Amino acid sequence: MPEGVFLVRDSTHPSYLFTLSVRTNRGPTNVRIEYSDSLFRLDSNWLSKPRILSFPDVVSLVQYYVSSCNSDSSKDPASRSPPAPTSPKEPPAVHLKLLQPLHRSADSPSLQHLCRLQISRSVAPGSDLTALPLPRRMVDYLQRYPFTL
């Protein structure tokens, strides 16, 4: 994939819900998405954390970074270059650009459908789905699924 192609996926680290995987100038890079105080933000070292923006949901986080990268792409290419390392021994910085989401193929199920499958597998057959602590829209979506597998 070209630089800037990204996707949000489940995190394999137990302390994080999601990870942002993106193709950078140095290859594939994964950035954990931290959830704290009911807000999402990109994970970073403790010195940078106060400067990292927080968002009420992951979609807002991604939309912000995509729009900021798209506005950068209209500037002079020299202004988009990665920052120089702070010392000669440090590797070059990774410039994180979110330009285009990786579209899933038609063969892979949506995250919404995978969640529906998991909920369907977790409740007893014939259970009253309205008794679950779920939004009405989600209950309607679950009830439209005719299979028990």
Side-chain angles (χ1 to χ4, degrees):
M1 293 289 133
E3 183 178 1
V5 173
F6 68 92
L7 64 89
V8 175
R9 61 178 177 80
D10 291 334
S11 180
T12 57
H13 191 285
S15 298
Y16 297 87
L17 296 173
F18 303 105
T19 295
L20 175 68
S21 296
V22 60
R23 175 68 179 203
T24 67
N25 58 341
R26 299 202 39 209
T29 299
N30 297 304
V31 180
R32 292 180 180 127
I33 298 175
E34 179 181 301
Y35 181 72
S36 177
D37 300 322
S38 299
L39 295 170
F40 293 92
R41 69 175 169 200
L42 297 178
D43 189 33
S44 65
N45 65 37
W46 65 275
L47 290 173
S48 300
K49 273 193 200 283
R51 297 189 310 258
I52 303 294
L53 296 174
S54 296
F55 301 88
D57 53 71
V58 175
V59 175
S60 298
L61 180 147
V62 170
Q63 285 179 332
Y64 171 81
Y65 287 106
V66 167
S67 66
S68 68
C69 290
N70 285 333
S71 66
D72 285 348
S73 66
S74 63
K75 297 178 184 174
D76 179 3
S79 68
R80 294 183 319 214
S81 60
T86 55
S87 84
K89 293 184 180 180
E90 288 185 34
V94 174
H95 187 60
L96 192 67
K97 291 193 288 190
L98 304 184
L99 299 176
Q100 177 184 3
L102 177 68
H103 295 287
R104 65 181 179 86
S105 71
D107 297 337
S108 45
S110 68
L111 181 58
Q112 184 180 25
H113 179 67
L114 292 173
C115 290
R116 176 169 57 184
L117 288 175
Q118 186 58 45
I119 292 170
S120 294
R121 288 178 185 142
S122 299
V123 297
S127 294
D128 180 13
L129 296 175
T130 60
L132 295 174
L134 297 171
R136 181 73 204 153
R137 189 172 167 198
M138 175 62 91
V139 171
D140 292 341
Y141 182 70
L142 289 168
Q143 289 174 331
R144 286 193 308 265
Y145 190 62
F147 307 108
T148 56
L149 298 176

